[in-house]
Amino acid sequence: MEQRKQEVIEAIISKAWEDASFRKELQVDPIKAIEKLIGVKVVIPEGKSLVVTDQTDKSKIYVNIPVEPEVESLELTEEQLEAVAGGGHKIWTDFVGSLFPSLEQCLIFQK
């Protein structure tokens, strides 16, 4: 099932890259555009909405501010638990690095 979900996501992104009209449809009504592409009904969790933004302009750096994690339900690996217990910041570093790789590469600090 997870493999199928990954394939669908790849198909959506590929189609959006090659077809500007699909990309516009995806922004206006993402559920309808995706259903039309894959031929299967798309159901998202109640109370949620799907927002698609076009981030294909290579002259801009996009940063998505993610929802804050629910710390109470967060499960950490042994390595992460050790880092937290030792006062390390590896979790935050890994988190930021995975979410904002383009931004990290573009940051240049001058003295």
Side-chain angles (χ1 to χ4, degrees):
M1 180 62 94
E2 292 303 313
Q3 177 69 27
R4 173 71 176 132
K5 289 178 183 180
Q6 184 64 35
E7 290 170 359
V8 167
I9 291 168
E10 290 171 9
I12 293 165
I13 293 170
S14 294
K15 180 73 172 172
W17 281 344
E18 66 190 34
D19 185 343
S21 65
F22 174 74
R23 189 166 51 239
K24 285 184 179 30
E25 288 177 42
L26 198 56
Q27 291 174 302
V28 173
D29 191 343
I31 301 295
K32 183 178 175 183
I34 294 168
E35 288 177 344
K36 183 176 162 185
L37 177 68
I38 64 174
V40 176
K41 182 156 181 59
V42 174
V43 178
I44 59 173
E46 188 175 327
K48 302 283 185 179
S49 61
L50 180 58
V51 177
V52 175
T53 57
D54 182 355
Q55 298 183 357
T56 58
D57 184 344
K58 292 180 181 181
S59 69
K60 297 179 181 173
I61 299 169
Y62 298 92
V63 175
N64 181 47
I65 300 171
V67 66
E68 288 185 58
E70 294 180 20
V71 178
E72 297 81 28
S73 63
L74 189 64
E75 292 187 30
L76 302 177
T77 65
E78 288 297 321
E79 182 180 299
Q80 291 168 327
L81 285 170
E82 287 178 24
V84 171
H89 300 284
K90 181 164 178 36
I91 296 169
W92 185 246
T93 303
D94 290 348
F95 185 66
V96 171
S98 67
L99 290 176
F100 310 114
S102 296
L103 179 62
E104 187 177 274
Q105 294 168 4
C106 295
L107 289 175
I108 300 171
F109 300 108
Q110 296 179 341
K111 293 180 182 181

